[in-house]
Amino acid sequence: MRVETDILIIGGGVAGLAATAAFAASGRRAICVDRAPVAAGMNDTRTTAFLKPAVAVLEDAGVWPLLSGETAALDVMRLIDAGGRENAAREIADFAADEIGEPPFGWNVPNAAMRQALNKRIEQLETAEQRAETAIEDLIVRRDHALARLSDGSTIKAQLVVGADGRNSTIRDMAGISARRWDYGQKALVFTVAMEEPHFGVSTEIHRTGGPFTLVPMPDGEDGPRCSVVWMERAGEAERLAALPVPEFEEALNERALGVHGRLKLASGRAAWPIISLIAERLTAPRIALIAESAHVVPPIGAQGLNMSLGDIETLMKAVAAGGGDPGAATALSAYQRRWPELAARVSGVDALNRAALTKAQPLRDLRRVGLTALTQMRPAKALAMRLGMGAR
């Protein structure tokens, strides 16, 4: 059986589903194909901070209104340097959204709630279709379309194929696009905590060594104020922490958190994720565009990862709209390819920040403190840093 569509999205994670909803809401026919079942990700205890430009994409797609009550505002990004010889804060810098007239910076959303909203929105859209538990097995690219053969025996004829299938992207391989990938010997522990004190919309990133320790506001739970935590450490230490009994883990947790929000208690399971960086050599091939982790991966610093992915969707949609009736036309793909230098610069920037956070050398930790102090004292540079972090170009 052959089916025709404007756009075929391979990959049903948050980015792939968001692209499906966004293109369908704009009037395009869009089909999303993914190996996993529709319910995949519903047990994901992680959260994602969506900054305002990403929220605008979700609003235009009709997804954001479906998240009522599931979001926590991010009004202040607080950086704490604890890189001295004692485990204590020695420099605190607040980056407040109202300093650049943008309160809040964005909102933190549980991943499971976002997946549920995306699935619901796709069901509402007449021009959107989701095919779960289905894989792409072959892709033939012709001058004016691409033919994708799927594991369910069907063939989809599409004008544009979007690769949103992650860091080990099948579409990237099928397109013959190479990628540079490197790791840091780090893992991120991800979990939720209940707190004695409210967060007041402040996201706190503590730097000592091994990687940043970040507390991101969440809606209150039955046990009171909550934050999601991303605790980056060298892989061996992260694995040791993940295996600790809860009382011992909570002692280590509170020592690392420096008393932020009072006493913290573990309120979820713990998951450990390897930290890598990746950048594809190109974003496009004939009839193919790469977005999200198919194109770039960064460590979880400054809420860049998924926000960059939503920026990919926005840029690709604008390129398609400007290209006329054919979403896979060479002119549209050429316009989207022009995003690559910005992505490469962001990957390099986050890589540098992570290496600075990872260092054990005391002179480099002291230099990191000096840089943070200088940035907070130079108001134009501070404002620029905030705008760049939100995705300004």
Side-chain angles (χ1 to χ4, degrees), residues 79 166 200:
L79 298 183
F200 296 116

Side-chain angles (χ1 to χ4, degrees), residues 207-288:
H207 292 259
R208 184 161 174 76
T209 187
F213 175 97
T214 308
L215 294 129
V216 189
M218 290 180 67
D220 290 351
E222 293 181 358
D223 46 3
R226 286 188 164 204
C227 272
S228 62
V229 177
V230 180
W231 184 354
M232 291 169 61
E233 282 286 359
R234 296 184 184 276
E237 176 63 4
E239 290 164 2
R240 184 190 73 83
L241 290 165
L244 286 175
V246 171
E248 294 177 33
F249 179 77
E250 288 184 343
E251 287 304 312
L253 163 67
N254 281 281
E255 181 181 2
R256 186 68 173 84
L258 304 180
V260 173
H261 307 311
R263 183 77 181 173
L264 307 180
K265 292 186 64 176
L266 186 65
S268 74
R270 290 164 275 176
W273 300 82
I275 302 302
I276 72 160
S277 284
L278 177 148
I279 184 72
E281 67 166 352
R282 291 184 55 80
L283 299 179
T284 64
R287 296 285 159 187
I288 296 170

